[in-house]
Amino acid sequence: MSEFKRISPQQAQELRTQGAVVVDIRDPQSFANGHISGSRHLDNHSLHDFITKADLDAPLIVSCYHGNSSQGAAAYLVGQGFSEVYSLDGGFELWHATYPSETAQSSEE
């Protein structure tokens, strides 16, 4: 995969069950108030560490508020060597509406 793909919450859920990593690029307060269960908060401070320790071949799903900012972040991560990157269409808002039981609260899981 030389570029990211946009996927629906249903496709993201399928990938999650297969072990895909989910990263959330929203602000820390929004992440703390609710995020996809098992996702990691990713920002400018945690990005380098995340990339250094990540399996670049593992599927990676990028989530934001509504599915717009995640596209730029997904493209950046492809450029950093990740081979299978997805942008979540509709972002956390659509995810939460579709899978309310698959959301969590707290600063980190």
Side-chain angles (χ1 to χ4, degrees), residues 18-100:
Q18 297 170 12
V21 174
V22 181
V23 294
D24 188 320
I25 62 167
R26 297 174 302 145
D27 70 90
Q29 185 65 42
S30 294
F31 181 83
N33 288 338
H35 53 270
I36 297 171
S37 297
S39 65
R40 294 191 48 183
H41 184 247
L42 196 61
D43 61 15
N44 290 336
H45 302 291
S46 61
L47 180 63
H48 177 74
D49 191 50
F50 173 76
I51 292 172
T52 303
K53 295 177 180 175
D55 176 355
L56 300 180
D57 295 321
L60 179 64
I61 301 166
V62 183
S63 172
C64 63
Y65 297 96
H66 301 106
N68 298 317
S69 299
S70 59
Q71 294 178 53
Y76 174 80
L77 291 166
V78 168
Q80 297 305 302
F82 287 88
S83 61
E84 191 176 342
V85 183
Y86 303 92
S87 172
L88 179 62
D89 276 348
F92 176 74
E93 294 301 320
L94 183 57
W95 174 271
H96 182 65
T98 307
Y99 296 106

